[in-house]
Amino acid sequence: MKAAIISDIHSNLEALLVVLKDIKKRRLKSIFCLGDLVGYGANPNECIDLCIKESKLIVAGNHDWAAVNKTDVSTFNPVAAQAIKWTQERISKDGIAKLKGLSLTQTVDNLLLVHATPKDPEGWNYLFSLEEFEKEFTQFKEQICFIGHSHIPAAIYRDDNGYCDIVRDNPFPIVPKRRYIVNVGSVGQPRDLDPRASYVIYDGNKNGIEVVRLDYNIPLAQQKIVIGGLPEVLADRLLAGR
Ligand SMILES: [Fe+2]
């Protein structure tokens, strides 16, 4: 199986269209989406429709569930909460139904898909340090777990002896005796100081994983955020990549 794995689109239509075009160009038939379709950007309905239409599997992100009142927005920072309120005022009935229907996890072959963490998907915890990643390996049985949420692409492996480390190559081979947690980064709001859209190609036939980065029309996405009346800091951070 070969698949593209996308996450954290955050209503950024410009970034999503570029990513989908690249996936089509590479003739990848399956797209798995790790959630956060909405929040922060100016095109929630378009992004929900496209993600649902193009993805074979989708899981819910915290912003998706916050937008439909399934997650408490009081845990969000003020700007994120403001963007959720903005989204709620514009999201279609159909969009609400679609977001409400998303589940927290999906499995396919030897892969687990979850937005935040395998241990407590609804706790929406973040994995940043190697130690935080390491603790999660006992919480799933599949060989590879794909996550989003932090908007920072990363791959961590655990070998047969329980040794964990960061995978530093890109692309990198899937070693049979290793298990992996792979953060695919963010399509619509990268936070690793690289403003380009991020997604991952999983190639189960050739046993490889690659993080792909793509330029997109950031000024247009920024303009829509400002004209739409969303907080301007959300436009600024797209260019800064943080
Ligand atoms: Fe997110």
Side-chain angles (χ1 to χ4, degrees):
M1 179 181 60
K2 215 172 162 184
I5 300 146
I6 64 173
S7 189
D8 296 274
I9 296 88
H10 285 295
S11 302
N12 186 336
L13 183 61
E14 286 65 43
L16 178 60
L17 288 172
V18 165
V19 166
L20 292 176
K21 193 175 168 190
D22 192 68
I23 290 168
K24 285 219 168 82
K25 195 180 83 188
R26 292 171 190 261
R27 296 198 174 91
L28 297 166
K29 299 268 186 304
S30 300
I31 298 176
F32 305 144
C33 177
L34 305 180
D36 273 4
L37 281 49
V38 300
Y40 300 134
N43 289 101
N45 291 311
E46 294 84 349
C47 289
I48 293 170
D49 289 348
L50 266 176
C51 286
I52 300 267
K53 185 172 145 244
E54 300 291 338
S55 305
K56 263 196 178 153
L57 295 169
I58 308 193
V59 295
N62 51 324
H63 288 253
D64 304 320
W65 273 18
V68 294
N69 298 314
K70 280 181 80 167
T71 280
D72 187 2
V73 84
S74 69
T75 59
F76 281 44
N77 70 56
V79 170
Q82 214 177 319
I84 287 296
K85 189 167 177 286
W86 186 98
T87 302
Q88 287 175 331
E89 287 162 2
R90 286 158 181 84
I91 197 167
S92 68
K93 270 189 184 164
D94 180 54
I96 291 170
K98 283 174 176 160
L99 294 186
K100 276 188 175 168
L102 301 181
S103 62
L104 287 167
T105 61
Q106 297 270 8
T107 52
V108 54
D109 290 353
N110 213 5
L111 314 177
L112 172 67
L113 312 176
V114 61
H115 182 69
T117 61
K119 185 185 176 191
D120 176 20
E122 208 176 341
W124 311 118
N125 298 307
Y126 290 91
L127 303 181
F128 291 117
S129 69
L130 184 59
E131 290 70 29
E132 286 165 344
F133 275 91
E134 199 171 349
K135 285 178 192 157
E136 295 292 327
F137 278 99
T138 55
Q139 305 297 320
F140 65 101
K141 60 182 186 325
E142 292 78 9
Q143 188 187 11
I144 306 172
C145 171
F146 287 105
I147 62 169
H149 198 41
S150 72
H151 300 201
I152 299 170
I156 310 296
Y157 73 87
R158 185 184 194 272
D159 71 15
D160 260 4
N161 301 316
Y163 176 77
C164 282
D165 205 354
I166 300 162
V167 180
R168 294 173 203 282
D169 296 333
N170 183 45
F172 67 90
I174 302 164
V175 179
K177 287 190 173 178
R178 290 181 179 178
R179 295 170 68 231
Y180 297 85
I181 300 175
V182 179
N183 191 313
V184 304
S186 169
V187 169
Q189 196 200 71
R191 294 180 191 161
D192 60 340
L193 303 179
D194 179 347
R196 294 174 300 165
S198 175
Y199 81 96
V200 154
I201 297 171
Y202 163 75
D203 189 338
N205 307 327
K206 290 187 181 162
N207 280 323
I209 288 175
E210 180 181 1
V211 179
V212 179
R213 304 301 292 256
L214 297 166
D215 288 310
Y216 72 95
N217 192 340
I218 293 176
L220 181 56
Q222 290 180 306
Q223 197 183 19
K224 285 183 181 178
I225 284 170
V226 174
I227 289 171
L230 279 156
E232 279 194 31
V233 66
L234 294 174
D236 298 341
R237 71 188 300 181
L238 290 184
L239 194 59
R242 64 186 165 90

